[in-house]
Every structure is written in structure tokens, then in C-alpha cells.
Amino acid sequence: MATYLKQSFERNSPKEINEIHQAVIEAGQKRIRPCLMTTATTILALLALFIFGGNIIKDFSLAMIWGIVIGTYSSILIATPNLLNMKIRKDNRESEE
């Protein structure tokens, strides 16, 4: 989602905070479902490995599940708001100069 948001900023170059917020909402609407669907299908496959796999595969699949959950969480709820804040601060600095 952060990549789509960055491309949207480059394409439209929003200057006002309302335009930036609109770009974030648009990115969320277009990218959140594919992101969550990919995460869900991958976790389902790894759960099958966890349930039916051997000891080594169980440890591997559990680590992968946690990595995917944390990665999805961070890309949606940490990286995107940080990117938004960086864009707003950058625009504020440019308008002050």
C-alpha cells in the first residue's frame, strides 16, 4: 500500500493536506483488499503445513505465519501513516521556504 501511495504522490503531487488525505484514502480503498487476501491465503497454506507437517516444518510455518502477520500489520498500520506524516512535513517545509 505504501508503494501505491508513493506512486500516487508522484503522479498527482498533492500540495494541500486535504489532497494528501484523499490520496491516502484512495490508496487504502484500492490496495487493502488485495493485501489482506494475499495474506489470508498465504496464512491458510502455512496453517495446513503447521497442522499436517513434521516438527521442522511446523517451526518453519509458525515463524512464517508470525512474519507475515507482523509484516502486513506494519505495512498497513505503521508504514502508511509514517509516509503520510513525512509527506505533510516535507510539504510544510517547502511552503515555508
Side-chain angles (χ1 to χ4, degrees), residues 1-90:
M1 191 158 71
T3 304
Y4 183 85
L5 187 56
K6 187 174 180 181
Q7 290 172 350
S8 176
F9 286 159
E10 291 171 356
R11 186 177 53 244
N12 298 330
S13 63
K15 297 296 179 191
E16 296 180 12
I17 292 178
N18 291 337
E19 294 173 347
I20 295 170
H21 284 274
Q22 188 61 35
V24 170
I25 290 170
E26 179 185 330
Q29 289 173 342
K30 288 190 178 185
R31 296 303 309 158
I32 193 78
R33 184 169 182 238
C35 179
L36 293 177
M37 292 296 288
T38 302
T39 299
T41 56
T42 306
I43 288 176
L44 284 175
L46 289 169
L47 280 174
L49 286 176
F50 182 76
I51 293 169
F52 301 114
N55 289 333
I56 294 173
I57 295 296
K58 284 184 179 186
D59 293 339
F60 169 76
S61 63
L62 187 60
M64 289 295 295
I65 289 169
W66 279 111
I68 290 170
V69 167
I70 291 169
T72 302
Y73 170 80
S74 67
S75 71
I76 293 173
L77 298 176
I78 295 173
T80 304
N82 284 335
L83 185 61
L84 173 65
N85 288 333
M86 289 183 339
K87 175 69 174 164
I88 290 172
R89 279 188 265 151
K90 179 183 174 188

